[in-house]
């Protein structure tokens, strides 16, 4: 069964809706420049409302590994999603600080990007069109060379998710702007 991650949740009503839909994961964005940013304190409040079987993923962009590990080790997060220029040495350092899983995001513009994703030492990879939450899809034909399970992200919405699943068969899908209306998560 394909895993679903609803990303960029920031309000109690978003969490309550996620609890009723029961995705595998939800995402809290810790990148301060994002319109979906939540503080660690807000994430802790929201995590307390989250059904215990739904995993909370923290989305980070070039954050200090100690900060990421603290949120993981304190139980606010279950996984870390690295969405910046974090490399293998960063991942190794983070693994020294926590035993929680690591999901590394890759912007897919060329077959070279797919090769980088294939060789990532992260536990999971996420293939995206850009910096996250942009609402644009990339050329899915580039994924012919992917050799490991992956989360598909980037421009997924009710109009294209069916064809994405049929032609790509990803391990999971990650949606953010595709489930929003006027910048807010839309229960419909």
């Amino acid at each position: 069964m394909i895993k679903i991650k609803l990303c960029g949740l920031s309000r109690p009503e978003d969490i309550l809706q996620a609890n009723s839909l029961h995705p595998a994961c939800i995402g809290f964005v810790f990148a301060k420049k994002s319109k979906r940013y939540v503080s660690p304190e807000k994430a802790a409040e929201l995590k307390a409302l989250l059904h215990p079987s739904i995993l909370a993923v923290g989305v980070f962009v070039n954050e200090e590994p100690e900060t990421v590990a603290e949120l993981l080790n304190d139980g606010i997060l279950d996984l870390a999603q690295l969405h910046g220029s974090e490399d293998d040495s960063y991942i190794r350092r983070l693994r020294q600080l926590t035993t929680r899983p690591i999901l590394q995001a890759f912007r897919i513009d060329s077959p070279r990007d797919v090769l980088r994703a294939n060789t990532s030492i992260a536990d999971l990879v996420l293939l995206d069109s850009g910096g996250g939450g942009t609402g644009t899809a990339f050329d899915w034909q580039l994924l012919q060379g992917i050799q490991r399970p992956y989360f598909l992200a980037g421009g997924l919405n009710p109009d294209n998710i069916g064809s994405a699943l049929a032609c790509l068969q990803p391990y999971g899908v990650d949606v953010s702007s595709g489930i929003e209306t006027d910048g807010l998560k839309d229960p419909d």
Side-chain angles (χ1 to χ4, degrees):
M1 180 145 178
I2 294 173
K3 307 291 184 200
I4 297 172
K5 176 176 170 256
L6 306 177
C7 199
L9 278 58
S10 61
R11 304 173 303 155
E13 53 265 46
D14 299 340
I15 299 297
L16 297 176
Q17 184 65 35
N19 287 342
S20 72
L21 296 171
H22 215 85
C25 313
I26 59 93
F28 298 130
V29 177
F30 292 94
K32 290 182 180 166
K33 292 182 180 179
S34 172
K35 65 182 177 181
R36 297 175 186 91
Y37 170 78
V38 295
S39 68
E41 297 78 20
K42 183 69 171 180
E45 291 173 20
L46 295 172
K47 173 73 184 274
L49 300 173
L50 187 65
H51 190 280
S53 66
I54 301 172
L55 300 177
V57 179
V59 180
F60 299 93
V61 177
N62 303 321
E63 184 60 68
E64 292 297 323
E66 293 78 10
T67 302
V68 176
E70 183 177 350
L71 290 164
L72 290 163
N73 294 335
D74 287 349
I76 296 170
L77 301 174
D78 301 299
L79 290 96
Q81 178 177 320
L82 309 177
H83 228 292
S85 59
E86 301 90 353
D87 58 11
D88 287 351
S89 64
Y90 180 101
I91 293 171
R92 282 191 281 278
R93 173 68 181 137
L94 187 54
R95 284 196 172 133
Q96 292 174 341
L97 301 169
T98 186
T99 60
R100 299 290 185 147
I102 300 167
L103 173 63
Q104 186 175 22
F106 292 88
R107 179 181 177 151
I108 304 298
D109 289 322
S110 72
R112 190 177 126 258
D113 300 320
V114 174
L115 176 62
R116 288 181 40 241
N118 277 332
T119 59
S120 170
I121 65 170
D123 300 294
L124 295 164
V125 296
L126 179 140
L127 310 179
D128 200 350
S129 60
T134 63
T136 57
F138 61 92
D139 181 1
W140 296 338
Q141 293 298 316
L142 293 169
L143 298 185
Q144 292 178 2
I146 193 70
Q147 298 172 351
R148 64 184 290 177
Y150 63 94
F151 273 88
L152 178 66
L156 297 176
N157 60 56
D159 295 328
N160 67 6
I161 192 83
S163 59
L165 296 177
C167 74
L168 297 174
Q169 301 169 342
Y171 169 80
V173 293
D174 180 319
V175 294
S176 185
S177 61
I179 55 171
E180 292 179 352
T181 300
D182 298 327
L184 297 173
K185 298 304 181 220
D186 184 337
D188 294 327

